[in-house]
Amino acid sequence: MRRRWTDICLAVSLLAMFASGLGLFAWHDVPQAQAATGAFLGIPYEAWSHVHIVASIVFSAAAASHLGLNWQPLVRHFRGGAPAATARRKGGLPAG
């Protein structure tokens, strides 16, 4: 259950970083009339920046949690060993 929430948190924070990053990028390309107000889509530059920073922090924490929850499979993968359950489930023999 924790893995599911971690993955959801990763996906939502990634989307928030992407959207706020586009907002920050587009803010610099607005016409002079909108630039004078200091807002893009009615949202000030500082708000875009804060959303981007908070989403980045949440994403980093969720990524660390994801690594922690999947540490043993990751170590197994890099050591070259495939779990026997995967080979049985696919109906084949383990490679090697």
Side-chain angles (χ1 to χ4, degrees):
M1 187 64 156
R2 282 184 283 175
R3 289 181 184 180
R4 181 177 300 156
W5 284 108
T6 301
D7 291 342
I8 290 170
C9 188
L10 278 169
V12 169
S13 61
L14 182 65
L15 289 174
M17 278 194 312
F18 179 73
S20 62
L22 284 177
L24 288 169
F25 178 75
W27 184 82
H28 293 288
D29 295 332
V30 296
Q32 289 295 67
Q34 290 179 359
T37 64
F40 175 69
L41 297 177
I43 302 171
Y45 181 82
E46 291 80 20
W48 288 108
S49 179
H50 291 308
V51 168
H52 194 71
I53 291 170
V54 169
S56 299
I57 292 169
V58 170
F59 182 83
S60 298
S65 174
H66 183 77
L67 280 174
L69 290 170
N70 294 296
W71 187 251
Q72 289 301 321
L74 186 66
V75 169
R76 233 185 346 254
H77 172 75
F78 283 114
R79 287 189 179 161
T86 304
R88 282 195 307 269
R89 186 171 54 238
K90 292 182 180 177
L93 296 174

